[in-house]
Amino acid sequence: MMDQNRITDYINSLDSGHGELCDRIAREARAAFVPIIRRETAVFLQTMITAVKPLRILEVGTAVGYSALLMAQVMPEQGHITTIEKYEPRIPLARAHFQEAGMDERITLLEGDAEEILKQLDGPFDFIFMDAAKGQYIHWLPRILELMADGAVLFSDNVLQDGDIIESRFAVERRNRTIHSRMRDYLYTLTHMEELKTSILPIGDGVTLSVKQTKDIFDRK
């Protein structure tokens, strides 16, 4: 059986980095215990953006702007990112990072509660990256679906919860049981919805890739 930790270390040893600014942001964020995507997830996210070539990207959970900048590096020249952040102390730093990267006109940061902001957004989006409060994914999903274009990709991070997702809810810490239950509901819903084709991948802390089925697929059934 493969040693997953050694495999991950090996994969990360092949990572050539994402440029001086992004690499510095990542180092500083990890040193300050700011939750940013893991190294192997960062590479995969950029690969997906490169493959999909989305013009309109929505990110739920900006933090300090690291993942938005990763996507901006490889999105089409006409691409634009809308990103949402609620935690006020991180917002000025994210804005500073966008400005430093020369991306402040291609990345729009919306401040406030994601649930309220999602209601006000106009779609459709070609790619949505979910990386915010994990217990809210299932509640946001109906609106997220409305905002997705046919054929759009929904990329959700941290879905395996450091392996806790496979445990009984009574085997996880009491304070984590609500999130555990909601994430299980989220994964079941994603994988059983007719509107989505979803794959769960054990990359980083687990990601899901969901593609919104085009309407003509249902017409052919």
Side-chain angles (χ1 to χ4, degrees):
M1 181 178 292
M2 291 191 298
D3 184 325
Q4 190 61 49
N5 289 331
R6 291 184 64 191
I7 290 293
T8 299
D9 288 343
Y10 173 68
I11 292 171
N12 286 338
S13 75
L14 302 174
D15 182 6
S16 58
H18 304 286
E20 183 178 346
L21 174 59
C22 279
D23 290 349
R24 191 194 80 217
I25 292 171
R27 288 194 303 271
E28 292 174 353
R30 292 182 179 117
F33 301 101
V34 175
I36 61 171
I37 57 176
R38 300 188 186 187
R39 290 176 64 186
E40 59 273 26
T41 309
V43 174
F44 186 56
L45 177 62
Q46 282 198 322
T47 301
M48 289 303 305
I49 294 292
T50 303
V52 175
K53 298 179 174 61
L55 294 180
R56 296 194 70 197
I57 300 171
L58 172 62
E59 177 184 55
V60 185
T62 313
V64 293
Y66 176 61
S67 51
L69 287 176
L70 291 178
M71 293 188 285
Q73 283 182 344
V74 294
M75 69 182 180
E77 186 176 347
Q78 306 88 349
H80 189 89
I81 298 172
T82 300
T83 182
I84 303 170
E85 180 57 46
K86 179 180 180 179
Y87 188 56
E88 292 183 3
R90 294 185 185 132
I91 291 172
L93 190 54
R95 291 195 186 280
H97 288 154
F98 297 155
Q99 186 171 18
E100 185 176 356
M103 288 289 179
D104 46 328
E105 292 188 1
R106 301 184 65 194
I107 303 175
T108 299
L109 197 166
L110 302 178
E111 304 178 31
D113 183 73
E115 184 170 354
E116 294 304 314
I117 292 175
L118 288 172
K119 294 176 183 176
Q120 301 167 16
L121 287 180
D122 293 323
F125 291 92
D126 309 307
F127 192 100
I128 298 180
F129 178 47
M130 293 266 278
D131 190 26
K134 310 306 176 279
Q136 300 303 316
Y137 283 13
I138 187 65
H139 297 310
W140 295 335
L141 183 57
R143 180 57 181 155
I144 291 294
L145 280 171
E146 293 175 348
L147 291 170
M148 292 174 71
D150 286 347
V153 172
L154 170 61
F155 185 122
S156 307
D157 196 18
N158 300 118
V159 300
L160 297 183
Q161 301 180 332
D162 287 318
D164 278 354
I165 200 69
I166 66 173
E167 305 291 346
S168 159
R169 70 183 302 270
F170 299 107
V172 301
E173 293 184 31
R174 183 180 295 274
R175 62 187 176 89
N176 293 330
R177 288 178 184 173
T178 298
I179 294 177
H180 176 270
S181 176
R182 290 180 179 178
M183 184 57 74
R184 280 198 161 203
D185 288 345
Y186 183 67
L187 295 178
Y188 183 89
T189 301
L190 287 182
T191 54
H192 288 76
M193 292 187 72
E194 188 178 47
E195 299 94 327
L196 297 175
K197 189 66 177 177
T198 296
S199 181
I200 304 172
L201 303 171
I203 295 172
D205 190 24
V207 304
T208 59
L209 284 181
S210 305
V211 180
K212 188 173 182 180
Q213 303 269 37
T214 56
K215 293 177 182 176
D216 66 314
I217 289 177
F218 301 116
D219 295 337
R220 285 185 263 131
K221 289 183 179 179

